[in-house]
Amino acid sequence: NNFYISFILYLSIIVNFFYTSFPKTILTESLFFSLVNIGISLFILNEKKNNNFIYCIILGLIFSIKSIGFVIVFCFILLNFLRKDELNYLKCFSIIIIFIAIENFIFYKKNEIRKNVLGEVILGKTFFLSGKPSFKIEDYPDNYKPLLQKSKQYFSEIQNNLSNIKNFPARVELQSDFEVVAQFQFYDDLSLDQKKVYIDMSNKKLTVLYYLLKNNFVDYFNLSLNHFFGQWVAGFKQEYIEKNNLPKFNELLLSSGGINTKNNSILKIGRNLLILLFIFFQIIFLISLIKFLLKKKTDSFYFTLLCQIYLLVVSFVNISTIRYLMPVYPIIILSCLIFLNELVKKKNVFSARY
């Protein structure tokens, strides 16, 4: 049974051309994908104590190589705890911290500062949501108001246009792209005084986030849920763009990394299969979660939980793109196969401690 699962998993990976394309790019994704795959393999084999040391090293590398790696590491350790593995958590955390220290030492030996895009992400969400009627500028600090008035004027037409798109997958894709416009292209449209306010807001990004959550939490929550679905969506927006005019189209082109699906039936089939996979995965997660709560634990629960936590965190702290789905794509396929096998055979595929 495990042979068939392994074969179908392998086949599902090699036919996903987007997943296998990353070795050809100058990104850390290829190495990150490999480490996550090794990590999930060692998690499956973690009953053997001699695997624990290597397992902790892999977690340390995952944590160090990408900023989102800490979420993956948290998920792995949480699953070890839920499965009641014989893992020395103190030793594991120590190894992870050592790898973080080594990575920071090497980085700062050649660089003075480490920059992230958290400021752009928070401000991008704020500016993008400011175009909605529910966003009240008077609820925000006075020194932010001139820039928020500019952003409301800039994104109001965009929000109105998005709200009229009936094709939900296309709307979600475009919503994510316009949020990228808010993160980067919007800055180029500012005056010198407005750019000073922007820099001040970026330096106080956590304060901006506090006001956003305080005043427009529902808008932020709905946007994040759309991103959660949007992680599974690709190739719908192009058909809408071909038939409709969009505001800030030139800026949108700069922010969009879309795929040209014109007259490509294979990609059209693939995008629809991805939506079906999303629906099926949510169903098996809910079933596995109910079984877990009823103490009828299944192996599929651990894999689905890891993917859901990762995707939810990414959706709430960033935008949606199929690129962010790819690190857990093999785990998603694996969890579906394990669930189906458990359903048919009515037994766990991999042994676990309960």
Side-chain angles (χ1 to χ4, degrees), residues 81-273:
F81 176 78
L82 293 175
R83 200 173 65 170
K84 299 179 181 179
D85 287 339
E86 295 178 8
L87 182 68
N88 188 324
Y89 294 98
L90 179 60
K91 181 179 179 181
C92 187
F93 284 127
S94 299
I95 293 173
I96 293 172
I97 291 172
I98 289 172
F99 271 90
I100 296 172
I102 292 173
E103 190 275 336
N104 275 273
F105 174 78
I106 295 173
F107 179 86
Y108 285 110
K109 191 175 181 180
K110 297 184 178 181
N111 302 274
E112 294 183 359
I113 60 172
R114 186 195 294 270
K115 192 178 186 304
N116 57 54
V117 295
L118 181 60
E120 286 83 354
V121 168
I122 293 175
L123 267 61
K125 292 183 182 298
T126 304
F127 296 145
F128 177 70
L129 291 174
S130 70
K132 298 181 75 68
S134 56
F135 192 98
K136 307 299 181 184
I137 297 176
E138 56 268 21
D139 294 333
Y140 288 78
D142 290 339
N143 53 323
Y144 297 165
K145 289 179 180 178
L147 183 53
L148 292 177
Q149 288 171 349
K150 169 71 175 180
S151 66
K152 192 170 189 65
Q153 179 184 8
Y154 190 98
F155 287 101
S156 289
E157 184 182 3
I158 292 172
Q159 290 286 3
N160 289 335
N161 193 286
L162 288 172
S163 64
N164 292 325
I165 299 177
K166 296 181 180 180
N167 186 324
F168 184 65
R171 187 201 316 165
V172 168
E173 273 196 275
L174 289 169
Q175 186 180 58
S176 181
D177 287 344
F178 277 120
E179 189 174 328
V180 176
V181 171
Q183 291 177 3
F184 299 103
Q185 279 71 47
F186 173 63
Y187 180 83
D188 297 330
D189 204 58
L190 302 180
S191 66
L192 184 59
D193 289 338
Q194 290 170 339
K195 287 181 178 179
K196 291 179 180 179
V197 178
Y198 181 98
I199 293 172
D200 180 58
M201 291 178 70
S202 182
N203 292 333
K204 300 175 180 177
K205 49 186 172 287
L206 295 182
T207 301
V208 176
L209 178 62
Y210 164 76
Y211 280 105
L212 178 64
L213 296 179
K214 176 185 175 183
N215 300 320
N216 296 92
F217 177 78
V218 174
D219 291 331
Y220 168 78
F221 186 78
N222 289 335
L223 176 65
S224 301
L225 288 184
N226 285 346
H227 286 331
F228 180 71
F229 173 70
Q231 311 294 357
W232 304 73
V233 174
F236 287 89
K237 64 186 176 186
Q238 288 80 4
E239 292 182 357
Y240 181 84
I241 291 174
E242 290 173 5
K243 300 175 183 178
N244 299 272
N245 295 320
L246 288 170
K248 309 296 181 184
F249 183 70
N250 292 331
E251 289 81 356
L252 181 68
L253 291 178
L254 294 174
S255 70
S256 176
I259 303 172
N260 184 5
T261 61
K262 186 176 181 180
N263 297 324
N264 194 322
S265 57
I266 295 178
L267 288 175
K268 289 181 179 180
I269 293 172
R271 72 185 187 185
N272 292 323
L273 288 176

Side-chain angles (χ1 to χ4, degrees), residues 263-294:
N263 297 324
N264 194 322
S265 57
I266 295 178
L267 288 175
K268 289 181 179 180
I269 293 172
R271 72 185 187 185
N272 292 323
L273 288 176
L274 204 56
I275 299 295
L276 292 176
L277 179 62
F278 166 78
I279 296 171
F280 181 66
F281 185 75
Q282 303 312 313
I283 292 172
I284 69 171
F285 170 70
L286 290 175
I287 294 174
S288 300
L289 178 61
I290 292 171
K291 287 185 176 182
F292 178 82
L293 295 175
L294 294 175

